[in-house]
Amino acid sequence: MVKLALYKGKGTLANAGIRMWTGSQYSHCELVVDGWCYSSSVMDKGVRRKLIDLGSGNWDLIELPWADPEYVRDYLDLTDHLTYGWVALVTSQFLNLGRSDPDSQFCSEWCANALRIPNASAYSPQTLGELARFINEVTS
């Protein structure tokens, strides 16, 4: 089973900036498979797999029964050399140009790609969560 973890904790100044810009309580997201978290992270300087305490009260979890856990793992293997996508974050989220960078990805872009969702750079953690909930509704 794959889950989408949405971060709502205080975090850093960057987290606050993302929440303010997107008008959301969420500033980061992860895909969770077998207890491991997969994403691209500012703190970790790019794409990685990590154990994170998701029971801290700082995370909301959405089960994604339609997602393929093996593809998430395979996508990590394809992208674990990528750095954090600051350029794509600014051009797609702040300037609304819909541009991605082949050498980097930001968190919700990485998660959307690992879920095989088209136009991955268009999603913030909030909008990716909304889409995941919608897909759950229409596929149940």
mmCIF file of all heavy atoms in Angstrom, residues 80-112:
data_model
loop_
_atom_site.group_PDB
_atom_site.id
_atom_site.type_symbol
_atom_site.label_atom_id
_atom_site.label_comp_id
_atom_site.label_asym_id
_atom_site.label_seq_id
_atom_site.Cartn_x
_atom_site.Cartn_y
_atom_site.Cartn_z
ATOM 1 N N ASP A 80 17.279 9.055 -7.895
ATOM 2 C CA ASP A 80 17.928 9.358 -6.616
ATOM 3 C C ASP A 80 19.170 10.237 -6.740
ATOM 4 O O ASP A 80 19.700 10.696 -5.736
ATOM 5 C CB ASP A 80 18.228 8.087 -5.820
ATOM 6 C CG ASP A 80 19.255 7.186 -6.477
ATOM 7 O OD1 ASP A 80 19.674 7.458 -7.612
ATOM 8 O OD2 ASP A 80 19.625 6.194 -5.834
ATOM 9 N N HIS A 81 19.591 10.541 -7.948
ATOM 10 C CA HIS A 81 20.721 11.448 -8.158
ATOM 11 C C HIS A 81 20.273 12.915 -8.314
ATOM 12 O O HIS A 81 21.104 13.816 -8.335
ATOM 13 C CB HIS A 81 21.488 11.036 -9.421
ATOM 14 C CG HIS A 81 20.660 11.162 -10.667
ATOM 15 N ND1 HIS A 81 19.674 10.246 -10.994
ATOM 16 C CD2 HIS A 81 20.648 12.106 -11.629
ATOM 17 C CE1 HIS A 81 19.099 10.630 -12.130
ATOM 18 N NE2 HIS A 81 19.665 11.755 -12.531
ATOM 19 N N LEU A 82 18.968 13.156 -8.386
ATOM 20 C CA LEU A 82 18.459 14.511 -8.626
ATOM 21 C C LEU A 82 18.539 15.372 -7.367
ATOM 22 O O LEU A 82 18.296 14.899 -6.259
ATOM 23 C CB LEU A 82 17.010 14.463 -9.110
ATOM 24 C CG LEU A 82 16.754 13.741 -10.429
ATOM 25 C CD1 LEU A 82 15.272 13.777 -10.768
ATOM 26 C CD2 LEU A 82 17.589 14.337 -11.556
ATOM 27 N N THR A 83 18.849 16.642 -7.568
ATOM 28 C CA THR A 83 18.883 17.603 -6.472
ATOM 29 C C THR A 83 17.481 18.173 -6.255
ATOM 30 O O THR A 83 16.560 17.913 -7.032
ATOM 31 C CB THR A 83 19.859 18.747 -6.781
ATOM 32 O OG1 THR A 83 19.444 19.395 -7.990
ATOM 33 C CG2 THR A 83 21.278 18.221 -6.933
ATOM 34 N N TYR A 84 17.343 18.965 -5.181
ATOM 35 C CA TYR A 84 16.042 19.587 -4.908
ATOM 36 C C TYR A 84 15.740 20.615 -5.996
ATOM 37 O O TYR A 84 16.598 21.404 -6.392
ATOM 38 C CB TYR A 84 16.004 20.250 -3.528
ATOM 39 C CG TYR A 84 14.613 20.717 -3.206
ATOM 40 C CD1 TYR A 84 13.653 19.819 -2.781
ATOM 41 C CD2 TYR A 84 14.241 22.042 -3.398
ATOM 42 C CE1 TYR A 84 12.351 20.217 -2.532
ATOM 43 C CE2 TYR A 84 12.943 22.461 -3.148
ATOM 44 C CZ TYR A 84 12.002 21.546 -2.719
ATOM 45 O OH TYR A 84 10.711 21.939 -2.491
ATOM 46 N N GLY A 85 14.501 20.665 -6.449
ATOM 47 C CA GLY A 85 14.104 21.468 -7.603
ATOM 48 C C GLY A 85 13.682 22.891 -7.311
ATOM 49 O O GLY A 85 12.532 23.260 -7.565
ATOM 50 N N TRP A 86 14.599 23.704 -6.835
ATOM 51 C CA TRP A 86 14.271 25.109 -6.564
ATOM 52 C C TRP A 86 13.816 25.840 -7.823
ATOM 53 O O TRP A 86 12.841 26.606 -7.784
ATOM 54 C CB TRP A 86 15.463 25.834 -5.948
ATOM 55 C CG TRP A 86 15.682 25.511 -4.516
ATOM 56 C CD1 TRP A 86 16.707 24.781 -3.979
ATOM 57 C CD2 TRP A 86 14.852 25.899 -3.411
ATOM 58 N NE1 TRP A 86 16.558 24.683 -2.627
ATOM 59 C CE2 TRP A 86 15.432 25.363 -2.245
ATOM 60 C CE3 TRP A 86 13.674 26.626 -3.300
ATOM 61 C CZ2 TRP A 86 14.879 25.551 -0.985
ATOM 62 C CZ3 TRP A 86 13.115 26.805 -2.044
ATOM 63 C CH2 TRP A 86 13.713 26.278 -0.913
ATOM 64 N N VAL A 87 14.513 25.634 -8.940
ATOM 65 C CA VAL A 87 14.167 26.347 -10.179
ATOM 66 C C VAL A 87 12.762 25.967 -10.631
ATOM 67 O O VAL A 87 11.937 26.835 -10.926
ATOM 68 C CB VAL A 87 15.209 26.066 -11.281
ATOM 69 C CG1 VAL A 87 14.745 26.633 -12.625
ATOM 70 C CG2 VAL A 87 16.558 26.658 -10.895
ATOM 71 N N ALA A 88 12.471 24.674 -10.658
ATOM 72 C CA ALA A 88 11.133 24.231 -11.071
ATOM 73 C C ALA A 88 10.068 24.696 -10.085
ATOM 74 O O ALA A 88 8.959 25.050 -10.483
ATOM 75 C CB ALA A 88 11.097 22.713 -11.218
ATOM 76 N N LEU A 89 10.399 24.710 -8.804
ATOM 77 C CA LEU A 89 9.451 25.183 -7.800
ATOM 78 C C LEU A 89 9.064 26.637 -8.084
ATOM 79 O O LEU A 89 7.878 26.980 -8.108
ATOM 80 C CB LEU A 89 10.040 25.059 -6.398
ATOM 81 C CG LEU A 89 9.160 25.540 -5.252
ATOM 82 C CD1 LEU A 89 7.993 24.591 -5.044
ATOM 83 C CD2 LEU A 89 9.967 25.661 -3.977
ATOM 84 N N VAL A 90 10.040 27.465 -8.351
ATOM 85 C CA VAL A 90 9.767 28.882 -8.617
ATOM 86 C C VAL A 90 9.039 29.055 -9.946
ATOM 87 O O VAL A 90 8.030 29.755 -10.020
ATOM 88 C CB VAL A 90 11.076 29.707 -8.581
ATOM 89 C CG1 VAL A 90 10.847 31.119 -9.091
ATOM 90 C CG2 VAL A 90 11.642 29.737 -7.168
ATOM 91 N N THR A 91 9.530 28.400 -11.018
ATOM 92 C CA THR A 91 8.912 28.614 -12.332
ATOM 93 C C THR A 91 7.530 27.995 -12.455
ATOM 94 O O THR A 91 6.669 28.549 -13.138
ATOM 95 C CB THR A 91 9.810 28.104 -13.471
ATOM 96 O OG1 THR A 91 10.040 26.703 -13.298
ATOM 97 C CG2 THR A 91 11.120 28.854 -13.523
ATOM 98 N N SER A 92 7.291 26.871 -11.798
ATOM 99 C CA SER A 92 5.982 26.236 -11.953
ATOM 100 C C SER A 92 4.978 26.655 -10.892
ATOM 101 O O SER A 92 3.796 26.784 -11.182
ATOM 102 C CB SER A 92 6.121 24.717 -11.964
ATOM 103 O OG SER A 92 6.564 24.256 -10.720
ATOM 104 N N GLN A 93 5.434 26.863 -9.660
ATOM 105 C CA GLN A 93 4.508 27.181 -8.583
ATOM 106 C C GLN A 93 4.333 28.682 -8.372
ATOM 107 O O GLN A 93 3.222 29.154 -8.193
ATOM 108 C CB GLN A 93 4.966 26.535 -7.275
ATOM 109 C CG GLN A 93 5.004 25.025 -7.323
ATOM 110 C CD GLN A 93 3.620 24.423 -7.491
ATOM 111 O OE1 GLN A 93 2.717 24.711 -6.723
ATOM 112 N NE2 GLN A 93 3.461 23.596 -8.500
ATOM 113 N N PHE A 94 5.418 29.418 -8.386
ATOM 114 C CA PHE A 94 5.335 30.858 -8.101
ATOM 115 C C PHE A 94 5.062 31.685 -9.352
ATOM 116 O O PHE A 94 4.338 32.658 -9.305
ATOM 117 C CB PHE A 94 6.602 31.343 -7.394
ATOM 118 C CG PHE A 94 6.781 30.739 -6.032
ATOM 119 C CD1 PHE A 94 7.758 29.792 -5.806
ATOM 120 C CD2 PHE A 94 5.950 31.085 -4.984
ATOM 121 C CE1 PHE A 94 7.918 29.211 -4.552
ATOM 122 C CE2 PHE A 94 6.090 30.511 -3.731
ATOM 123 C CZ PHE A 94 7.073 29.578 -3.517
ATOM 124 N N LEU A 95 5.647 31.302 -10.489
ATOM 125 C CA LEU A 95 5.449 32.061 -11.725
ATOM 126 C C LEU A 95 4.400 31.433 -12.635
ATOM 127 O O LEU A 95 4.062 31.992 -13.667
ATOM 128 C CB LEU A 95 6.780 32.201 -12.478
ATOM 129 C CG LEU A 95 7.889 32.917 -11.709
ATOM 130 C CD1 LEU A 95 9.171 32.941 -12.536
ATOM 131 C CD2 LEU A 95 7.475 34.319 -11.308
ATOM 132 N N ASN A 96 3.911 30.241 -12.261
ATOM 133 C CA ASN A 96 2.868 29.533 -13.007
ATOM 134 C C ASN A 96 3.233 29.304 -14.474
ATOM 135 O O ASN A 96 2.397 29.420 -15.360
ATOM 136 C CB ASN A 96 1.534 30.269 -12.887
ATOM 137 C CG ASN A 96 0.364 29.364 -13.180
ATOM 138 O OD1 ASN A 96 0.455 28.152 -13.035
ATOM 139 N ND2 ASN A 96 -0.734 29.941 -13.607
ATOM 140 N N LEU A 97 4.498 28.981 -14.735
ATOM 141 C CA LEU A 97 4.953 28.733 -16.100
ATOM 142 C C LEU A 97 4.931 27.250 -16.460
ATOM 143 O O LEU A 97 5.150 26.888 -17.615
ATOM 144 C CB LEU A 97 6.375 29.290 -16.293
ATOM 145 C CG LEU A 97 6.517 30.801 -16.107
ATOM 146 C CD1 LEU A 97 7.984 31.208 -16.202
ATOM 147 C CD2 LEU A 97 5.677 31.552 -17.130
ATOM 148 N N GLY A 98 4.719 26.378 -15.477
ATOM 149 C CA GLY A 98 4.618 24.951 -15.747
ATOM 150 C C GLY A 98 5.903 24.321 -16.262
ATOM 151 O O GLY A 98 5.853 23.394 -17.054
ATOM 152 N N ARG A 99 7.032 24.816 -15.825
ATOM 153 C CA ARG A 99 8.309 24.289 -16.306
ATOM 154 C C ARG A 99 8.967 23.419 -15.258
ATOM 155 O O ARG A 99 8.959 23.723 -14.076
ATOM 156 C CB ARG A 99 9.241 25.438 -16.665
ATOM 157 C CG ARG A 99 8.692 26.251 -17.813
ATOM 158 C CD ARG A 99 9.718 27.176 -18.376
ATOM 159 N NE ARG A 99 9.085 27.927 -19.462
ATOM 160 C CZ ARG A 99 9.217 29.214 -19.635
ATOM 161 N NH1 ARG A 99 9.984 29.905 -18.834
ATOM 162 N NH2 ARG A 99 8.618 29.809 -20.630
ATOM 163 N N SER A 100 9.557 22.339 -15.726
ATOM 164 C CA SER A 100 10.315 21.473 -14.836
ATOM 165 C C SER A 100 11.787 21.525 -15.243
ATOM 166 O O SER A 100 12.133 22.058 -16.288
ATOM 167 C CB SER A 100 9.777 20.043 -14.878
ATOM 168 O OG SER A 100 9.854 19.545 -16.188
ATOM 169 N N ASP A 101 12.632 20.956 -14.410
ATOM 170 C CA ASP A 101 14.079 20.928 -14.636
ATOM 171 C C ASP A 101 14.493 19.460 -14.693
ATOM 172 O O ASP A 101 14.226 18.717 -13.753
ATOM 173 C CB ASP A 101 14.769 21.660 -13.476
ATOM 174 C CG ASP A 101 16.277 21.638 -13.555
ATOM 175 O OD1 ASP A 101 16.840 20.999 -14.465
ATOM 176 O OD2 ASP A 101 16.916 22.249 -12.688
ATOM 177 N N PRO A 102 15.145 19.016 -15.757
ATOM 178 C CA PRO A 102 15.500 17.592 -15.867
ATOM 179 C C PRO A 102 16.514 17.115 -14.827
ATOM 180 O O PRO A 102 16.656 15.916 -14.610
ATOM 181 C CB PRO A 102 16.069 17.472 -17.281
ATOM 182 C CG PRO A 102 16.483 18.844 -17.656
ATOM 183 C CD PRO A 102 15.568 19.781 -16.919
ATOM 184 N N ASP A 103 17.187 18.041 -14.151
ATOM 185 C CA ASP A 103 18.216 17.673 -13.179
ATOM 186 C C ASP A 103 17.764 17.785 -11.728
ATOM 187 O O ASP A 103 18.572 17.574 -10.815
ATOM 188 C CB ASP A 103 19.465 18.551 -13.380
ATOM 189 C CG ASP A 103 20.073 18.349 -14.755
ATOM 190 O OD1 ASP A 103 20.136 17.185 -15.212
ATOM 191 O OD2 ASP A 103 20.463 19.350 -15.381
ATOM 192 N N SER A 104 16.503 18.143 -11.500
ATOM 193 C CA SER A 104 16.027 18.316 -10.131
ATOM 194 C C SER A 104 14.508 18.194 -10.098
ATOM 195 O O SER A 104 13.853 18.325 -11.121
ATOM 196 C CB SER A 104 16.460 19.680 -9.591
ATOM 197 O OG SER A 104 15.830 20.716 -10.319
ATOM 198 N N GLN A 105 13.984 17.935 -8.885
ATOM 199 C CA GLN A 105 12.541 17.905 -8.675
ATOM 200 C C GLN A 105 12.234 18.386 -7.265
ATOM 201 O O GLN A 105 13.017 18.160 -6.350
ATOM 202 C CB GLN A 105 11.980 16.492 -8.858
ATOM 203 C CG GLN A 105 12.024 16.005 -10.290
ATOM 204 C CD GLN A 105 11.342 14.672 -10.482
ATOM 205 O OE1 GLN A 105 10.408 14.311 -9.764
ATOM 206 N NE2 GLN A 105 11.795 13.920 -11.465
ATOM 207 N N PHE A 106 11.089 19.054 -7.099
ATOM 208 C CA PHE A 106 10.628 19.416 -5.765
ATOM 209 C C PHE A 106 9.667 18.332 -5.278
ATOM 210 O O PHE A 106 9.287 17.436 -6.032
ATOM 211 C CB PHE A 106 10.030 20.823 -5.719
ATOM 212 C CG PHE A 106 8.899 21.081 -6.681
ATOM 213 C CD1 PHE A 106 7.584 20.902 -6.294
ATOM 214 C CD2 PHE A 106 9.158 21.522 -7.972
ATOM 215 C CE1 PHE A 106 6.538 21.148 -7.170
ATOM 216 C CE2 PHE A 106 8.123 21.778 -8.862
ATOM 217 C CZ PHE A 106 6.813 21.589 -8.464
ATOM 218 N N CYS A 107 9.286 18.386 -4.003
ATOM 219 C CA CYS A 107 8.600 17.255 -3.361
ATOM 220 C C CYS A 107 7.329 16.807 -4.071
ATOM 221 O O CYS A 107 7.180 15.622 -4.393
ATOM 222 C CB CYS A 107 8.329 17.543 -1.882
ATOM 223 S SG CYS A 107 7.158 18.883 -1.559
ATOM 224 N N SER A 108 6.392 17.706 -4.290
ATOM 225 C CA SER A 108 5.119 17.282 -4.880
ATOM 226 C C SER A 108 5.285 16.904 -6.349
ATOM 227 O O SER A 108 4.564 16.034 -6.851
ATOM 228 C CB SER A 108 4.045 18.357 -4.697
ATOM 229 O OG SER A 108 4.517 19.628 -5.079
ATOM 230 N N GLU A 109 6.238 17.510 -7.022
ATOM 231 C CA GLU A 109 6.543 17.118 -8.397
ATOM 232 C C GLU A 109 7.054 15.677 -8.421
ATOM 233 O O GLU A 109 6.617 14.852 -9.225
ATOM 234 C CB GLU A 109 7.587 18.064 -8.981
ATOM 235 C CG GLU A 109 8.056 17.714 -10.371
ATOM 236 C CD GLU A 109 9.181 18.595 -10.869
ATOM 237 O OE1 GLU A 109 9.954 19.134 -10.035
ATOM 238 O OE2 GLU A 109 9.295 18.739 -12.090
ATOM 239 N N TRP A 110 7.999 15.353 -7.514
ATOM 240 C CA TRP A 110 8.529 13.998 -7.462
ATOM 241 C C TRP A 110 7.425 12.999 -7.139
ATOM 242 O O TRP A 110 7.301 11.956 -7.802
ATOM 243 C CB TRP A 110 9.671 13.882 -6.436
ATOM 244 C CG TRP A 110 10.359 12.568 -6.557
ATOM 245 C CD1 TRP A 110 11.451 12.289 -7.330
ATOM 246 C CD2 TRP A 110 9.965 11.327 -5.948
ATOM 247 N NE1 TRP A 110 11.755 10.946 -7.235
ATOM 248 C CE2 TRP A 110 10.862 10.329 -6.397
ATOM 249 C CE3 TRP A 110 8.953 10.956 -5.081
ATOM 250 C CZ2 TRP A 110 10.780 9.003 -5.997
ATOM 251 C CZ3 TRP A 110 8.853 9.626 -4.683
ATOM 252 C CH2 TRP A 110 9.764 8.665 -5.137
ATOM 253 N N CYS A 111 6.608 13.306 -6.132
ATOM 254 C CA CYS A 111 5.534 12.388 -5.738
ATOM 255 C C CYS A 111 4.537 12.190 -6.883
ATOM 256 O O CYS A 111 4.128 11.051 -7.151
ATOM 257 C CB CYS A 111 4.825 12.896 -4.490
ATOM 258 S SG CYS A 111 5.828 12.819 -2.990
ATOM 259 N N ALA A 112 4.151 13.259 -7.566
ATOM 260 C CA ALA A 112 3.206 13.130 -8.687
ATOM 261 C C ALA A 112 3.817 12.282 -9.799
ATOM 262 O O ALA A 112 3.131 11.427 -10.380
ATOM 263 C CB ALA A 112 2.811 14.509 -9.203
#
